[in-house]
Amino acid sequence: MDADDRFMWMALDLARQGRGRTSPNPLVGAVVVQDTEVVGTGYHQAAGSPHAEIIALKKAGEKAQGATLYVNIEPCSHHGRTGPCTEAIIKAGISRVVAAVQDPNPIVSGRGFARLREAGIKVKEGVLEDKARRLNEVFLKYITTGLPFVGIKVAMSLDGKIGTMTGESHWITGEKSRQFVHRLRDQSDVIMVGIETVLKDDPRLTTRVDSGEGRDPVRVIVDSSARLPLDARLVENPSSAGTILAVTNQAPPNKCRALEDRGVEILTLPALRGRVDVTYMMKKLAERELTTVLVEGGGTLNYSLLEQSLVDKLFVFIAPLIIGGVKSPTAFAGTGIESLKKAWAVEDVEMKQFERDLLLIGYPVPAHKHAETVSQGQAG
């Protein structure tokens, strides 16, 4: 591993520390190196707080003169909630900038690199670019599409069931798996379920990590007809992050007003085939700068999101249990597909183990896109 790779890995590790706290901004880490000595480090901790480059340069002080700055995404060159990092880099006397990826945000997108080069600073791009893109998958999806990054969490048995024929599902997976899910919640802007999950499980949808320092995501319930009970735990136990009920015009006005009186926000959305238009819903969430959605719903909501090409990532826990039963619910319901040729492929699969449970993490790809990728790989 050469020096540029080594220090970029350090920047990526620093950036990772801001996970779940920087929305709608990217995860950014910065390292200032004088000769081979690290003289300053920093990472972006929250939207509106100093950027990683500014923190690292401040720590480096006079040692930044003539040094190299490593950063995992292009430094900003515009005035936002904070000043432009490019001007601070120039003023500090940095002689070389090594970056992993260009910022696709239209107000940055190459302008930061151009400004640095104009000032006589050497710029090297593309170091560990694939790793940097994966780290900032949430930001890259949000800034290029105007949609949040959507992950689905599933806990199922070996035979693909997420509950028994009577609806019992607590608990299919073990405690360590559940703690991992709470860490996912802590890193998400939104936790989403369908109304059937609420009626069956009466969940709280809060974050409960071992450290006690977890952050609650905004709770979103997809409920076309406002069937959410007034005595549900989601209603009676409000979260500081807020609770949104996504309904259509089918929802009774009196019931909506009663829920609003109890602190639930009603978000009325267009209907698609009699249900909430989930694509429109995701756009509305993104407009609020909610960039990460963790779905912990049932098979109907899961399939609806998958069918609309809204799912970016899967977290599938598999417990060593067999439940059986044609009436036992599965992770993805809906109408299903007629041919395996139309199935979604899951790529870049990673596996973890939590005691007896297995966790598969992967990225769903529609069949036609998967076929195109395979074809391109063979052609190359």
Side-chain angles (χ1 to χ4, degrees), residues 5 13 23 48 55 61 79 82 119 142 155 180 190 206 208 213 217-219 245 281 292 298 306 311 336 351 354 358:
D5 283 1
D13 287 340
S23 291
I55 297 171
H79 286 273
T82 59
Y142 167 74
F180 180 87
V190 169
T206 53
R208 302 180 295 280
E213 299 177 355
V218 176
R219 304 182 296 191
L245 193 70
M281 175 182 64
T292 330
L306 192 66
V311 182
M351 185 174 73
F354 297 93
L358 291 179

Side-chain angles (χ1 to χ4, degrees), residues 277-289:
D277 184 333
V278 289
T279 301
Y280 192 88
M281 175 182 64
M282 291 299 179
K283 289 178 181 177
K284 286 298 181 185
L285 294 177
E287 286 174 6
R288 300 181 182 209
E289 297 187 339

Side-chain angles (χ1 to χ4, degrees), residues 228-287:
L228 178 65
L230 297 177
D231 61 353
R233 289 203 290 182
L234 285 166
V235 179
E236 293 193 333
N237 299 280
S239 165
S240 59
T243 303
I244 299 173
L245 193 70
V247 304
T248 67
N249 58 12
Q250 303 170 30
N254 290 344
K255 179 67 176 296
C256 290
R257 282 194 292 271
L259 288 165
E260 286 178 320
D261 289 343
R262 287 162 172 78
V264 176
E265 179 186 350
I266 303 298
L267 181 62
T268 304
L269 300 166
L272 180 65
R273 297 193 294 271
R275 298 178 181 272
V276 168
D277 184 333
V278 289
T279 301
Y280 192 88
M281 175 182 64
M282 291 299 179
K283 289 178 181 177
K284 286 298 181 185
L285 294 177
E287 286 174 6

Side-chain angles (χ1 to χ4, degrees), residues 150-173:
V150 178
I152 287 182
K153 187 273 310 185
V154 169
M156 68 183 191
S157 61
L158 280 174
D159 55 337
K161 306 297 185 180
I162 60 173
T164 67
M165 60 180 292
T166 61
E168 182 185 348
S169 59
H170 291 165
W171 297 99
I172 288 178
T173 54

